[in-house]
Amino acid sequence: MEEEDLARNKPKRKIKLTQVLASNGDAPSLDLSYSFIGDGEMTSIAEFVNQKSNLHTLHLGGNKITDAGLQQFVENVAPHPTLHTLYLGHNELTASGMDCLLDLLQRCPAIHTLSLVGNDLGAEGIVVLCSAVTTSHSLKHLYLSSTDLNDEGALALSVALMTNDTLNVLHLGENEIGPVGAEFIGQALQVNSGITSLYMNGNQLGADGVCRLSEGLASNLMLTQLNLNDCEIDDGGLRYLLDNLSENRSIHAIHLSGNESITDLGASMLLEFVKSQLVMEEVSLRSTGAKDLTILKQLDLELRRNKDRKAVDNHMTRPVDPTTQFSSDEDDDEEENVDDDESSLYEGDCDLQVESSNESNASYDELGSEPGSDDPDSEDAEKYPE
């Protein structure tokens, strides 16, 4: 569930907890987000969780839960075999509550998705949390946007990632990470074999930072999606990035929206990169200085070709059902529609995202973000979960 949607759809008034819990029945998910839940209700919530052996998702984001409330929950909740998704974003948790969270992760070893977005954990809290990252064999999605982890926290995460190969998706947006912190993350990616999606949006990387980060990507064979929206990157920084990715054959999506200093020169470099990297399928350039429609349309066309080529390859390698009948009339219809597809590049279904694209694609390139930070980058059509 996307956090921005939760914020928009919730009544934002205090609920009658007993009624909500009673009406939840045997549903596998309990959504108490944006319900003015405070520390006083945490014991009741823990007791409810204990009674629901099939519960797998618990939404507690956007409330008023403090470290004391988290402690009450942990002290009263029993080991739970099925709980795998926990949203605690936008509460009032601090570094002091992270030891309790570690206890909770031990009691609920199935947790694979954890969101702490918008809590003031600081580097101190991240350091504590990293002990779980180091030892966990189940954690796959970790949302740490807007937790004030800064370069010191990036160092702690880097050390943890060097020994963790199960974490797949990592959100570090809006954390005041600079070039030094970017270098730490890049060093981890040189040896990490688990991360497939990395969100660094809204950090002050600049050309120096993106260069340091991308040095770690040159030998990385796992990363498929990189979000660098609003990272103060210019054409020079983009050149560093693309040069370091020139031998990378895994990455297929790069998000660069909000980097106003990327110009038509940068778009041209991206075009040549996409032509040489046949795995590239997605690029976002919203709110940048790239305005030349000739370049942008050609870039979009190359992205579409790469995606179509992949679809054909997948089809060719798929076992053929001998009972399947193919209609020659359908084939003719597909050929007749080729020109129509080419003419609709900017009428909706496009893989390059710029201002001239159809609004229906607005969230397509902002995968995995938090409300108010990027465009929603506001992790799937990730706005950050809470």
Side-chain angles (χ1 to χ4, degrees):
M1 181 176 296
E2 296 178 3
E3 185 171 31
E4 195 168 80
D5 291 338
L6 288 171
R8 180 169 54 248
N9 296 330
K10 284 293 177 180
K12 294 192 176 182
R13 57 181 173 79
K14 189 169 181 63
I15 62 171
K16 292 183 178 180
L17 183 62
T18 54
Q19 292 182 4
V20 172
L21 296 182
S23 65
N24 201 69
D26 292 326
S29 177
L30 176 61
D31 182 4
L32 296 173
S33 55
Y34 296 93
S35 299
F36 288 83
I37 296 293
D39 295 343
E41 289 91 352
M42 295 305 288
T43 298
S44 296
I45 295 172
E47 293 172 348
F48 176 85
V49 171
N50 293 340
Q51 298 169 11
K52 304 297 179 181
S53 60
N54 68 324
L55 189 72
H56 60 61
T57 300
L58 181 58
H59 292 270
L60 292 172
N63 287 299
K64 299 179 180 297
I65 303 168
T66 70
D67 298 331
L70 179 60
Q71 182 174 355
Q72 289 179 30
F73 180 80
V74 173
E75 289 177 349
N76 288 280
V77 74
H80 203 288
T82 63
L83 185 64
H84 61 58
T85 300
L86 179 62
Y87 296 134
L88 289 168
H90 296 289
N91 277 288
E92 299 174 12
L93 303 178
T94 70
S96 299
M98 291 303 96
D99 284 323
C100 282
L101 185 59
L102 295 185
D103 291 342
L104 179 61
L105 293 175
Q106 291 178 350
R107 294 192 187 195
C108 304
I111 290 180
H112 60 61
T113 299
L114 175 64
S115 175
L116 295 165
V117 172
N119 287 291
D120 189 16
L121 307 182
E124 180 183 355
I126 299 301
V127 168
V128 176
L129 183 63
C130 279
S131 62
V133 176
T134 301
T135 59
S136 174
H137 297 292
S138 59
L139 198 60
K140 296 183 180 298
H141 301 81
L142 184 58
Y143 300 85
L144 296 174
S145 300
S146 303
T147 53
D148 196 28
L149 63 86
N150 62 50
D151 289 342
E152 185 181 348
L155 173 58
L157 274 171
S158 173
V159 174
L161 290 174
M162 288 182 180
T163 57
N164 177 292
D165 59 1
T166 60
L167 193 66
N168 301 139
V169 179
L170 180 60
H171 286 255
L172 299 176
E174 298 287 345
N175 269 309
E176 299 183 0
I177 296 174
V180 173
E183 183 174 4
F184 292 145
I185 299 299
Q187 290 171 349
L189 292 176
Q190 287 181 328
V191 298
N192 180 275
S193 60
I195 298 292
T196 58
S197 297
L198 176 65
Y199 296 84
M200 296 288 289
N201 49 283
N203 288 297
Q204 294 74 46
L205 303 188
D208 186 22
V210 76
C211 177
R212 298 189 193 194
L213 174 68
S214 61
E215 286 176 355
L217 300 179
S219 58
N220 184 287
L221 302 177
M222 294 300 297
L223 193 71
T224 61
Q225 180 165 262
L226 180 62
N227 190 315
L228 295 174
N229 291 347
D230 298 299
C231 284
E232 302 178 5
I233 300 170
D234 58 13
D235 291 336
L238 180 57
R239 184 185 298 277
Y240 283 128
L241 175 66
L242 300 182
D243 285 347
N244 282 314
L245 290 176
S246 61
E247 300 301 320
N248 185 298
R249 293 296 181 266
S250 64
I251 196 160
H252 64 68
I254 301 176
H255 303 289
L256 296 162
S257 294
N259 292 291
E260 298 178 355
S261 296
I262 293 179
T263 68
D264 292 329
L265 174 60
S268 296
M269 292 188 290
L270 272 167
L271 174 58
E272 295 307 312
F273 177 77
V274 169
K275 286 181 178 179
S276 66
Q277 298 286 74
L278 302 185
V279 295
M280 280 295 300
E281 298 176 7
E282 299 173 30
V283 170
S284 63
L285 285 171
R286 281 198 177 100
S287 301
T288 66
K291 305 297 182 184
D292 189 320
L293 288 182
T294 300
I295 298 173
L296 295 175
K297 288 182 178 180
Q298 184 61 36
L299 178 55
D300 183 69
L301 179 60
E302 293 298 330
L303 290 167
R304 288 165 61 98
R305 285 174 174 168
N306 285 352
K307 184 172 287 188
D308 291 343
R309 185 182 293 109
K310 180 179 179 180
V312 171
D313 290 343
N314 289 342
H315 177 75
M316 294 296 291
T317 57
R318 187 174 58 194
V320 177
D321 183 351
T323 65
T324 301
Q325 299 296 318
F326 296 96
S327 167
S328 58
D329 291 339
E330 291 179 359
D331 292 341
D332 292 341
D333 289 342
E334 288 182 6
E335 290 180 5
E336 291 174 3
N337 289 331
V338 168
D339 291 339
D340 292 338
D341 288 342
E342 296 257 341
S343 66
S344 65
L345 283 175
Y346 281 94
E347 296 175 4
D349 184 25
C350 56
D351 303 299
L352 169 69
Q353 297 299 309
V354 293
E355 284 77 4
S356 56
S357 299
N358 189 302
E359 280 302 312
S360 65
N361 288 323
S363 65
Y364 183 58
D365 69 314
E366 313 301 352
L367 223 54
S369 46
E370 71 247 4
S373 71
D374 326 341
D375 174 24
D377 251 36
S378 172
E379 183 258 64
D380 273 34
E382 246 201 69
K383 298 170 171 94
Y384 282 103
E386 13 154 29

